[in-house]
Amino acid sequence: MRKPFVAGNWKMNKTVAEATELATGLKGSLAGVTEVDIAVCPVATALGAVSAALCCSNIAVGAQNMYWEASGAFTGEIAPPMVKELATYVIIGHSERRQFFGETDETVNKKIKAALAHGIKPIICIGESLEQNQAGETVDFVGGQIKGAFAGISAADAATVTLAYEPIWAIGTGLTATPEDANAIIRKAIRDVLVELYDDATAEAIRVQYGGSVKPHNMADFIAMQEIDGALVGGASLKVDDFTAIVKAAT
Ligand code: PEP
Protein backbone atom coordinates (compact mmCIF):
# COMPACT_ATOMS: atom_id res chain seq x y z
CA MET A 1 0.00 0.00 0.00
CA ARG A 2 1.54 3.32 -1.08
CA LYS A 3 1.04 6.23 1.32
CA PRO A 4 -0.52 9.27 -0.40
CA PHE A 5 1.87 12.15 -1.02
CA VAL A 6 0.76 15.70 -1.82
CA ALA A 7 3.37 18.33 -2.67
CA GLY A 8 2.91 22.03 -3.39
CA ASN A 9 5.04 23.63 -6.10
CA TRP A 10 5.07 27.34 -5.27
CA LYS A 11 6.95 28.11 -8.52
CA MET A 12 8.38 31.66 -8.75
CA ASN A 13 6.00 33.11 -6.17
CA LYS A 14 6.33 34.53 -2.64
CA THR A 15 9.01 36.66 -1.03
CA VAL A 16 10.67 35.27 2.08
CA ALA A 17 8.14 37.07 4.28
CA GLU A 18 5.18 35.83 2.21
CA ALA A 19 6.53 32.28 2.03
CA THR A 20 7.04 32.22 5.81
CA GLU A 21 3.46 33.39 6.34
CA LEU A 22 2.09 30.68 4.02
CA ALA A 23 4.23 27.98 5.65
CA THR A 24 3.15 29.07 9.12
CA GLY A 25 -0.50 28.98 8.07
CA LEU A 26 -0.14 25.47 6.65
CA LYS A 27 1.69 24.26 9.74
CA GLY A 28 -1.40 25.16 11.75
CA SER A 29 -4.06 24.00 9.32
CA LEU A 30 -2.41 20.65 8.57
CA ALA A 31 -1.26 19.82 12.10
CA GLY A 32 -2.18 16.27 13.01
CA VAL A 33 -2.57 15.00 9.43
CA THR A 34 -0.57 11.78 9.41
CA GLU A 35 -2.26 9.72 6.68
CA VAL A 36 -0.66 11.78 3.88
CA ASP A 37 2.97 12.75 3.31
CA ILE A 38 3.05 16.51 2.70
CA ALA A 39 5.72 18.77 1.19
CA VAL A 40 5.96 22.35 0.00
CA CYS A 41 8.51 23.54 -2.54
CA PRO A 42 9.23 27.26 -2.21
CA VAL A 43 11.52 29.35 -4.38
CA ALA A 44 15.21 28.80 -3.52
CA THR A 45 15.60 32.12 -1.67
CA ALA A 46 12.87 31.09 0.78
CA LEU A 47 14.05 27.51 1.45
CA GLY A 48 15.85 28.45 4.68
CA ALA A 49 13.01 30.49 6.14
CA VAL A 50 10.33 27.96 5.18
CA SER A 51 12.36 25.07 6.51
CA ALA A 52 12.78 26.96 9.83
CA ALA A 53 9.07 27.82 9.93
CA LEU A 54 8.11 24.17 9.35
CA CYS A 55 10.64 22.75 11.75
CA CYS A 56 9.37 19.74 13.66
CA SER A 57 6.06 19.68 11.75
CA ASN A 58 4.49 17.06 9.48
CA ILE A 59 5.26 19.19 6.38
CA ALA A 60 8.53 18.56 4.56
CA VAL A 61 10.32 21.04 2.33
CA GLY A 62 11.46 20.56 -1.27
CA ALA A 63 13.51 22.58 -3.71
CA GLN A 64 12.19 23.22 -7.23
CA ASN A 65 15.42 22.42 -9.05
CA MET A 66 19.16 21.94 -8.51
CA TYR A 67 22.34 21.34 -10.49
CA TRP A 68 24.11 17.97 -10.50
CA GLU A 69 27.65 19.09 -9.58
CA ALA A 70 28.47 19.41 -5.86
CA SER A 71 30.21 22.81 -6.17
CA GLY A 72 32.15 24.97 -8.61
CA ALA A 73 31.91 27.60 -11.31
CA PHE A 74 28.21 27.28 -12.19
CA THR A 75 26.88 30.79 -11.67
CA GLY A 76 23.28 30.96 -10.60
CA GLU A 77 22.87 27.27 -9.78
CA ILE A 78 22.38 25.56 -6.42
CA ALA A 79 24.16 22.31 -5.59
CA PRO A 80 22.93 19.11 -3.93
CA PRO A 81 24.75 19.71 -0.59
CA MET A 82 23.12 23.17 -0.42
CA VAL A 83 19.67 21.70 -1.03
CA LYS A 84 20.34 18.90 1.45
CA GLU A 85 20.95 21.47 4.23
CA LEU A 86 17.45 22.89 3.82
CA ALA A 87 15.21 20.37 2.08
CA THR A 88 14.14 16.74 1.95
CA TYR A 89 12.84 16.68 -1.64
CA VAL A 90 13.76 18.23 -4.97
CA ILE A 91 11.49 18.59 -8.00
CA ILE A 92 13.37 17.52 -11.12
CA GLY A 93 12.36 17.98 -14.74
CA HIS A 94 9.25 20.12 -14.26
CA SER A 95 7.81 20.88 -17.71
CA GLU A 96 8.47 24.59 -17.18
CA ARG A 97 12.17 23.81 -16.77
CA ARG A 98 12.10 21.57 -19.82
CA GLN A 99 10.24 24.24 -21.83
CA PHE A 100 12.00 27.45 -20.72
CA PHE A 101 15.39 26.36 -19.35
CA GLY A 102 16.61 23.64 -21.68
CA GLU A 103 16.10 20.68 -19.34
CA THR A 104 16.40 17.39 -21.24
CA ASP A 105 16.00 13.71 -20.37
CA GLU A 106 19.82 13.61 -20.03
CA THR A 107 20.03 16.52 -17.56
CA VAL A 108 17.05 15.12 -15.68
CA ASN A 109 18.87 11.80 -15.35
CA LYS A 110 22.05 13.50 -14.07
CA LYS A 111 20.07 15.48 -11.51
CA ILE A 112 18.20 12.39 -10.27
CA LYS A 113 21.51 10.57 -9.80
CA ALA A 114 22.94 13.57 -7.94
CA ALA A 115 19.87 13.80 -5.70
CA LEU A 116 20.04 10.09 -4.85
CA ALA A 117 23.78 10.28 -4.19
CA HIS A 118 23.23 13.13 -1.72
CA GLY A 119 20.22 11.62 0.05
CA ILE A 120 17.68 14.06 -1.40
CA LYS A 121 14.36 12.56 -2.54
CA PRO A 122 13.53 13.43 -6.15
CA ILE A 123 10.04 14.22 -7.43
CA ILE A 124 10.47 13.60 -11.15
CA CYS A 125 8.02 15.27 -13.54
CA ILE A 126 6.97 13.76 -16.85
CA GLY A 127 4.10 14.52 -19.19
CA GLU A 128 3.08 15.14 -22.76
CA SER A 129 2.14 18.29 -24.70
CA LEU A 130 -1.31 18.91 -26.15
CA GLU A 131 -0.03 18.12 -29.66
CA GLN A 132 1.45 14.81 -28.52
CA ASN A 133 -1.76 14.00 -26.67
CA GLN A 134 -3.93 14.75 -29.70
CA ALA A 135 -1.62 12.75 -31.97
CA GLY A 136 -1.99 9.69 -29.72
CA GLU A 137 1.71 9.79 -28.78
CA THR A 138 1.31 10.09 -25.00
CA VAL A 139 2.21 6.55 -23.99
CA ASP A 140 5.32 6.40 -26.20
CA PHE A 141 6.48 9.87 -25.22
CA VAL A 142 5.98 9.52 -21.47
CA GLY A 143 7.42 5.99 -21.58
CA GLY A 144 10.50 7.44 -23.28
CA GLN A 145 10.82 10.10 -20.57
CA ILE A 146 10.70 7.32 -17.95
CA LYS A 147 13.42 5.34 -19.71
CA GLY A 148 15.59 8.46 -19.95
CA ALA A 149 15.03 9.44 -16.33
CA PHE A 150 15.90 6.02 -14.91
CA ALA A 151 18.92 5.20 -17.11
CA GLY A 152 21.67 3.71 -14.95
CA ILE A 153 19.64 3.86 -11.71
CA SER A 154 19.41 0.71 -9.57
CA ALA A 155 16.10 -0.88 -8.61
CA ALA A 156 16.78 -0.11 -4.93
CA ASP A 157 17.25 3.60 -5.69
CA ALA A 158 14.38 3.70 -8.19
CA ALA A 159 11.96 2.41 -5.57
CA THR A 160 12.58 5.53 -3.42
CA VAL A 161 11.65 8.23 -5.95
CA THR A 162 8.33 9.94 -6.58
CA LEU A 163 7.02 10.54 -10.08
CA ALA A 164 4.60 13.30 -11.02
CA TYR A 165 2.59 12.66 -14.18
CA GLU A 166 1.71 16.14 -15.38
CA PRO A 167 0.13 16.55 -18.82
CA ILE A 168 1.60 19.90 -19.90
CA TRP A 169 -1.73 21.07 -21.29
CA ALA A 170 -3.30 20.70 -17.83
CA ILE A 171 -0.71 22.75 -15.92
CA GLY A 172 -2.05 26.14 -14.85
CA THR A 173 -4.85 25.99 -17.42
CA GLY A 174 -7.81 24.84 -15.35
CA LEU A 175 -8.04 21.80 -17.66
CA THR A 176 -7.40 18.37 -16.21
CA ALA A 177 -6.98 14.91 -17.61
CA THR A 178 -9.94 12.81 -16.55
CA PRO A 179 -8.99 10.68 -13.54
CA GLU A 180 -9.62 7.56 -15.66
CA ASP A 181 -7.32 8.76 -18.47
CA ALA A 182 -4.57 9.77 -16.04
CA ASN A 183 -4.89 6.39 -14.33
CA ALA A 184 -4.62 4.51 -17.64
CA ILE A 185 -1.58 6.52 -18.79
CA ILE A 186 0.19 6.02 -15.47
CA ARG A 187 -0.42 2.27 -15.81
CA LYS A 188 0.70 1.97 -19.43
CA ALA A 189 3.37 4.65 -19.81
CA ILE A 190 4.82 4.54 -16.30
CA ARG A 191 4.22 1.36 -14.28
CA ASP A 192 4.38 -1.05 -17.23
CA VAL A 193 7.64 0.60 -18.37
CA LEU A 194 9.02 0.36 -14.83
CA VAL A 195 8.17 -3.35 -14.82
CA GLU A 196 10.11 -3.65 -18.10
CA LEU A 197 13.08 -1.71 -16.66
CA TYR A 198 13.03 -3.34 -13.21
CA ASP A 199 10.38 -5.68 -11.83
CA ASP A 200 6.83 -5.72 -10.42
CA ALA A 201 7.89 -4.92 -6.85
CA THR A 202 9.86 -1.83 -7.88
CA ALA A 203 7.10 -0.59 -10.18
CA GLU A 204 4.52 -1.03 -7.42
CA ALA A 205 6.69 0.69 -4.79
CA ILE A 206 7.09 3.98 -6.67
CA ARG A 207 4.56 6.68 -5.80
CA VAL A 208 3.03 8.47 -8.76
CA GLN A 209 1.35 11.83 -8.28
CA TYR A 210 -1.01 13.44 -10.76
CA GLY A 211 -0.39 17.12 -11.52
CA GLY A 212 -2.32 19.62 -13.61
CA SER A 213 -4.97 21.95 -12.17
CA VAL A 214 -5.59 19.90 -9.05
CA LYS A 215 -8.07 21.81 -6.87
CA PRO A 216 -10.02 21.06 -3.69
CA HIS A 217 -13.05 19.91 -5.70
CA ASN A 218 -11.24 17.35 -7.90
CA MET A 219 -8.59 15.80 -5.61
CA ALA A 220 -10.89 13.08 -4.29
CA ASP A 221 -11.59 11.85 -7.84
CA PHE A 222 -7.88 11.51 -8.61
CA ILE A 223 -6.89 9.83 -5.35
CA ALA A 224 -9.69 7.29 -5.86
CA MET A 225 -7.78 5.90 -8.86
CA GLN A 226 -5.67 2.82 -8.22
CA GLU A 227 -2.49 4.15 -9.86
CA ILE A 228 -2.62 7.71 -8.45
CA ASP A 229 -0.90 8.20 -5.11
CA GLY A 230 -1.31 11.93 -4.58
CA ALA A 231 -0.75 15.20 -6.38
CA LEU A 232 1.78 17.83 -7.33
CA VAL A 233 -0.14 21.06 -6.94
CA GLY A 234 0.82 24.43 -8.42
CA GLY A 235 -1.63 27.34 -8.22
CA ALA A 236 -3.83 25.89 -5.49
CA SER A 237 -0.82 25.32 -3.22
CA LEU A 238 -0.42 29.09 -2.77
CA LYS A 239 -3.52 29.39 -0.59
CA VAL A 240 -3.71 27.89 2.89
CA ASP A 241 -7.37 26.90 2.58
CA ASP A 242 -7.06 25.32 -0.87
CA PHE A 243 -3.90 23.33 -0.16
CA THR A 244 -5.28 22.19 3.19
CA ALA A 245 -8.49 20.99 1.53
CA ILE A 246 -6.50 19.15 -1.16
CA VAL A 247 -4.32 17.37 1.39
CA LYS A 248 -7.36 16.41 3.45
CA ALA A 249 -9.13 15.11 0.33
CA ALA A 250 -6.17 12.81 -0.29
CA THR A 251 -6.62 10.96 3.00
C1 PEP B 1 2.60 22.29 -11.35
O1 PEP B 1 3.16 23.37 -11.24
O2 PEP B 1 3.28 21.26 -11.30
C2 PEP B 1 1.15 22.28 -11.55
C3 PEP B 1 0.56 21.12 -11.70
O3 PEP B 1 0.50 23.48 -11.57
P1 PEP B 1 -1.11 23.71 -11.47
O4 PEP B 1 -1.60 22.91 -10.30
O5 PEP B 1 -1.25 25.19 -11.25
O6 PEP B 1 -1.70 23.26 -12.75
Side-chain angles (χ1 to χ4, degrees), residues 9 11 94 96 166 170-172 211-214 232-235:
N9 172 15
K11 310 199 188 196
H94 192 280
E96 287 150 16
E166 302 203 299
I171 296 178
S213 299
V214 171
L232 182 57
V233 185

Side-chain angles (χ1 to χ4, degrees), residues 79-137:
M82 300 162 191
V83 171
K84 176 75 181 164
E85 281 185 312
L86 302 171
T88 305
Y89 294 94
V90 61
I91 298 173
I92 293 177
H94 192 280
S95 64
E96 287 150 16
R97 295 217 58 86
R98 296 180 191 255
Q99 187 180 351
F100 302 125
F101 302 103
E103 197 84 88
T104 65
D105 287 344
E106 288 70 33
T107 60
V108 166
N109 177 251
K110 285 184 178 185
K111 290 180 180 189
I112 297 167
K113 285 176 174 160
L116 292 167
H118 287 86
I120 306 162
K121 298 178 180 175
I123 301 172
I124 306 158
C125 301
I126 62 266
E128 82 288 358
S129 67
L130 185 60
E131 295 70 34
Q132 288 163 329
N133 184 283
Q134 289 176 339
E137 296 166 3

